Amino acid sequence: MNDQLERLNRLPLRENLRGLAPYGAPQLDVPILLNVNENTHGVPADVQAAITAAVARAAKGLNRYPDREFTELRTALAEYLGHGLDASNIWAANGSNEVLQQILQAFGGPGRTALGFPPTYSMYPLLASGTDTRYIAGQRADDYGLTAESAARQVKDLQPSIVFLCSPNNPTGTGLGLDVVEEVYRAGEASQTIVIVDEAYHEFAHDGTPSALTLLPGRERLIVSRTMSKAFALAGARLGYMAAAPEVTDALRLVRLPYHLSAVTQATALAALEYRAALMADVEDIKRQRDRIVDELRRMGLTPAASDSNYVFFGGLDHPHQVWQELLAAGVLIRDVGIPGHLRVTAGTETETTAFLESLESILARQAALPA
């Protein structure tokens, strides 16, 4: 690795990219993968059949470029989101990361800044570096919460070009109140700050949890980002999207690559949207397993965070990396997010969740039996 890094550094890289490591989580061959917040339920058979048929139809025209404006897909996504949105409010790309990258290309860049509130999604600073946007790490409370007053004060003081609000937050799984979004937007008025609310996991939120989509009217600097990777079980298809004022989608047209969304991707996403009832049924099962994990971890004496996502962030561990290693040895891969005393686990199927809980309880019992 050192030799590889040395060879890399001999290239004329931009200075702000030197020493960075690419985004990535361990990709290991183990029976139970609960480390990257995928939808572990897979694509239901009827949805697979619909996608296969849609892709077969699209294949007949692959000699032609796809619809550059992906109008049918934008219309379908607007219908799915509701809230009075139409195709003019919607943009999509190859995963929500590309959507975020395009936002940074349009509104960030040299001399501009992006503010995030770690611990949060680790791609935010990498996306900022890739677009030569200076990343500023804001502050959270000791319990990793973020109040409207604190967030707004930091935006007013730092005057960032862009601010990331991740809700539910990754890795903690906790949602933000809409008051945080409202106050941050108001605090960014003088600096004309673009406010991105990253709702990649919103479909897993508890019933009645409001979306920042409700705040879009009259707020042309507000963007709500979503993905089909999680609730729609399409992580392998790479389709992310956002809702915003029409002038924001016009801005992203200035930086998108020509025909950036393939005909195959568009066909896949449209089929999944048509069959979303089956996919949302799996979401409800995942939410049940998520809540089961929270309850069981509390019973074990650990401290899981309240989660509105498809994963659980939990603390109370004296030796988290050792626990991670012992779970891996038992065939269960979860995520060591590098936060002292904490780990994160994706809610799997009932069988996968049971395997995780039983393995963890056995590990904790063995550790408790060791002499102090």
Side-chain angles (χ1 to χ4, degrees):
M1 178 62 76
N2 288 337
D3 179 61
Q4 184 180 0
L5 182 60
E6 183 180 339
R7 287 186 285 113
L8 174 63
N9 283 332
R10 285 202 296 265
L11 293 174
L13 274 177
R14 294 201 326 250
E15 287 303 318
N16 69 321
L17 296 181
R18 291 191 182 278
L20 294 183
Y23 174 85
Q27 291 185 305
L28 304 175
D29 185 15
V30 297
I32 299 175
L33 300 171
L34 301 175
N35 67 321
V36 289
N37 302 338
E38 295 161 320
N39 186 324
T40 57
H41 285 55
V43 181
D46 56 345
V47 184
Q48 290 181 39
I51 290 172
T52 300
V55 170
R57 290 192 296 272
K60 296 176 181 178
L62 288 181
N63 59 309
R64 302 293 186 183
Y65 286 117
D67 175 10
R68 185 177 59 235
E69 289 297 310
F70 48 97
T71 306
E72 185 180 2
L73 177 56
R74 288 189 295 116
T75 300
L77 286 167
E79 188 273 329
Y80 166 66
L81 291 178
H83 297 284
L85 299 169
D86 61 34
S88 69
N89 300 111
I90 305 298
W91 189 252
N94 295 284
S96 59
N97 287 328
E98 187 177 57
V99 174
L100 297 176
Q101 181 183 58
Q102 290 174 343
I103 295 169
L104 283 160
Q105 287 174 314
F107 299 107
R112 297 191 175 193
T113 58
L115 172 66
F117 298 94
T120 191
Y121 185 33
S122 57
M123 272 301 297
Y124 296 154
L126 293 177
L127 289 166
S129 293
T131 56
D132 210 6
T133 306
R134 184 166 68 90
Y135 184 77
I136 303 172
Q139 302 295 315
R140 289 180 177 266
D142 290 342
D143 64 357
Y144 306 119
L146 184 64
T147 66
E149 180 184 10
S150 172
R153 183 179 66 252
Q154 293 179 68
V155 169
K156 191 171 183 178
D157 291 345
L158 296 168
Q159 298 189 339
S161 309
I162 298 165
V163 61
F164 293 105
L165 297 175
C166 191
S167 182
N169 186 47
N170 183 0
T172 61
T174 49
L176 287 176
L178 293 188
D179 61 323
V180 178
V181 181
E182 290 177 296
E183 291 304 313
V184 163
Y185 188 90
R186 187 176 295 113
E189 183 67 39
S191 52
Q192 288 292 283
T193 300
I194 295 290
V195 179
I196 304 170
V197 184
D198 185 348
E199 291 190 342
Y201 299 92
H202 181 79
E203 285 91 345
F204 299 101
H206 287 87
D207 292 346
T209 301
S211 165
L213 293 170
T214 61
L215 302 179
L216 284 174
R219 293 182 174 90
E220 72 280 354
R221 293 179 288 104
L222 179 61
I223 300 171
V224 181
S225 173
R226 293 282 188 97
T227 183
M228 295 186 76
S229 292
K230 311 301 181 182
F232 282 86
L234 291 182
R238 313 308 300 129
L239 194 290
Y241 60 103
M242 50 140 260
E247 53 266 41
V248 174
T249 64
D250 285 341
L252 300 195
R253 286 179 174 88
L254 300 176
V255 298
R256 59 99 179 267
L257 293 173
Y259 310 104
H260 71 288
L261 210 55
S262 79
V264 170
T265 300
Q266 293 181 44
T268 299
L270 282 164
L273 284 163
E274 185 178 353
Y275 281 78
R276 61 179 175 264
L279 294 163
M280 293 305 117
D282 283 344
V283 166
E284 291 305 312
D285 186 60
I286 292 167
K287 289 165 67 173
R288 285 189 290 271
Q289 297 306 317
R290 185 254 338 262
D291 294 341
R292 177 188 170 204
I293 291 171
V294 170
D295 292 341
E296 288 297 298
L297 292 181
R298 285 176 180 155
R299 181 185 61 77
M300 294 180 202
L302 300 175
T303 54
S307 178
D308 273 309
S309 57
N310 70 332
Y311 52 88
V312 178
F313 175 75
F314 62 99
L317 299 166
D318 294 329
H319 306 286
H321 192 68
Q322 182 181 337
V323 171
W324 180 87
Q325 289 179 314
E326 292 193 40
L327 283 168
L328 180 60
V332 180
L333 179 61
I334 68 170
R335 189 72 172 263
D336 184 348
V337 292
I339 297 175
H342 290 76
L343 293 170
R344 191 193 73 194
V345 60
T346 305
T349 63
E350 182 177 2
T351 300
E352 291 170 331
T353 300
T354 297
F356 160 70
L357 291 170
E358 291 180 349
S359 296
L360 178 61
E361 188 160 27
S362 176
I363 291 165
L364 294 177
R366 287 199 301 272
Q367 289 186 349
L370 294 173

